[in-house]
Amino acid sequence: MKLRKVTAASAVLLALSVSATACGGDKKDDSSSSGGAKKITIGIKFDQPGIGQKTPQGYTGFDVDVATYVAKKLGYSTDQIKWRESKSADRETMLQRGDVDFIAASYSITPEREQKVDFAGPYLLAHQDVLLRAGETKIKSPSDLNNRKLCSVGGSTSAQNVHDKLAPKANLQQYPTYSECLSGLQSGAIDALTTDDSILAGYASQAQFKGKFKLGGFKMTNENYGIGVKKGSPLKDKINKALEAMVADGSWDAAVKKNFGPAGYKNEPAPKIGDVKS
């Protein structure tokens, strides 16, 4: 009788052990990189319309479309993508720590950054430009910004670059956000907003601003957008192949038109992989 009680108790313990092991096994499978449970973590901007924006309906923008295409070529479906906000100051650290697999976030390729991370691409050649009111006729070149109110966000080097090199008498205005610069431009409180033309086009393409702004088309600098990966990552070559495929099958052109078209953005042709314009 006592032996049967011990045996029964052992059976219960064994059953509990097997159950716990199974639960542990399920948890491990959920986080594994095999089968349907695999995930890829991608860094993007959350607050740049037309580039990378988090909305109640999901994530939108040119960088989001590029990153989604690349992820699919790497074998990940849309629901296997985990999006992470990658603020400009955090991008290198996020890659070095392994917080993300790659970053597509208006991430210009520079020699300083290449010392810390690797880049696939470039996948877009942008330029520093200005955004003007649609009816503006007197600002036709950077020098016409002299004695005009020129806006950019606090901490940005864009407005200072114009002031130092092209329009030394420009009246620099720093606002906390681009949206506030846009409001100032719309009201007449400022005369021009400056940053990358792709970012300007993204903002101007929003429905509420349709037909209210135009790009100057000044092309004051070259900004080569690349996809950042950790130093030595084998993803670099795979991403480059995906970017080439995106251009070849027309998806790149479609993404440009979809995200920047309403602003009349005259984009450069898709750059060749490795061709970084100085």
Side-chain angles (χ1 to χ4, degrees):
M1 186 67 178
K2 184 180 288 187
L3 179 60
R4 282 198 298 273
K5 286 183 178 178
V6 172
T7 303
S10 299
V12 171
L13 289 172
L14 179 61
L16 289 172
S17 175
V18 171
S19 175
T21 303
C23 291
D26 289 343
K27 187 175 181 180
K28 183 177 180 181
D29 288 344
D30 287 343
S31 61
S32 73
S33 60
S34 61
K38 66 180 181 178
K39 297 283 185 180
I40 188 167
T41 304
I42 304 172
I44 57 170
K45 290 293 180 66
F46 277 15
D47 59 352
Q48 286 186 347
I51 299 289
Q53 185 179 28
K54 183 179 181 180
T55 73
Q57 292 74 39
Y59 299 89
T60 65
F62 181 71
D63 283 350
V64 175
D65 290 345
V66 170
T68 300
Y69 185 99
V70 168
K72 287 183 178 180
K73 286 293 184 181
L74 295 176
Y76 297 88
S77 61
T78 304
D79 60 359
Q80 291 174 323
I81 298 173
K82 180 180 179 182
W83 301 105
R84 287 282 301 272
E85 183 175 18
S86 297
K87 296 180 179 180
S88 296
D90 300 334
R91 290 176 297 201
E92 286 83 35
T93 302
M94 291 180 73
L95 288 169
Q96 291 168 340
R97 285 195 311 227
D99 296 341
V100 292
D101 293 292
F102 67 79
I103 289 177
S106 55
Y107 201 2
S108 296
I109 302 171
T110 67
E112 295 76 19
R113 289 169 178 165
E114 286 184 304
Q115 293 178 7
K116 301 176 182 178
V117 300
D118 284 342
F119 285 96
Y123 63 91
L124 181 72
L125 176 59
H127 306 281
Q128 186 182 342
D129 200 357
V130 296
L131 194 67
L132 307 168
R133 286 183 290 277
E136 175 62 61
T137 59
K138 295 182 179 179
I139 300 176
K140 299 178 181 179
S141 70
S143 62
D144 293 330
L145 295 167
N146 282 308
N147 302 311
R148 299 293 189 118
K149 293 179 180 178
L150 178 66
C151 186
S152 195
V153 298
S156 168
T157 60
S158 299
Q160 194 65 47
N161 180 59
V162 174
H163 181 271
D164 292 347
K165 300 177 182 179
L166 301 168
K169 294 182 180 179
N171 183 2
L172 302 186
Q173 305 284 314
Q174 288 194 336
Y175 286 22
T177 67
Y178 288 119
S179 294
E180 290 177 82
C181 280
L182 277 171
S183 296
L185 183 60
Q186 187 173 0
S187 69
I190 63 168
D191 300 303
L193 162 60
T194 186
T195 188
D196 295 357
D197 54 7
S198 57
I199 296 173
L200 295 174
Y203 275 97
S205 293
Q206 294 179 90
Q208 66 266 36
F209 297 132
K210 187 175 181 180
K212 295 181 179 179
F213 303 113
K214 65 180 180 180
L215 290 164
F218 296 164
K219 298 184 179 181
M220 294 180 279
T221 63
N222 290 330
E223 305 295 337
N224 302 269
Y225 288 5
I227 292 181
V229 297
K230 191 173 184 178
K231 268 287 184 186
S233 172
L235 278 179
K236 176 181 175 178
D237 290 339
K238 295 177 181 179
I239 292 172
N240 278 334
K241 290 179 181 178
L243 293 174
E244 289 174 336
M246 186 175 188
V247 173
D249 68 16
S251 298
W252 188 90
D253 284 321
V256 169
K257 184 177 181 180
K258 168 189 167 187
N259 292 290
F260 304 132
Y265 178 52
K266 296 178 175 61
N267 64 284
E268 297 280 3
K272 293 183 179 179
I273 298 302
D275 185 12
V276 178
K277 303 290 186 184
S278 59

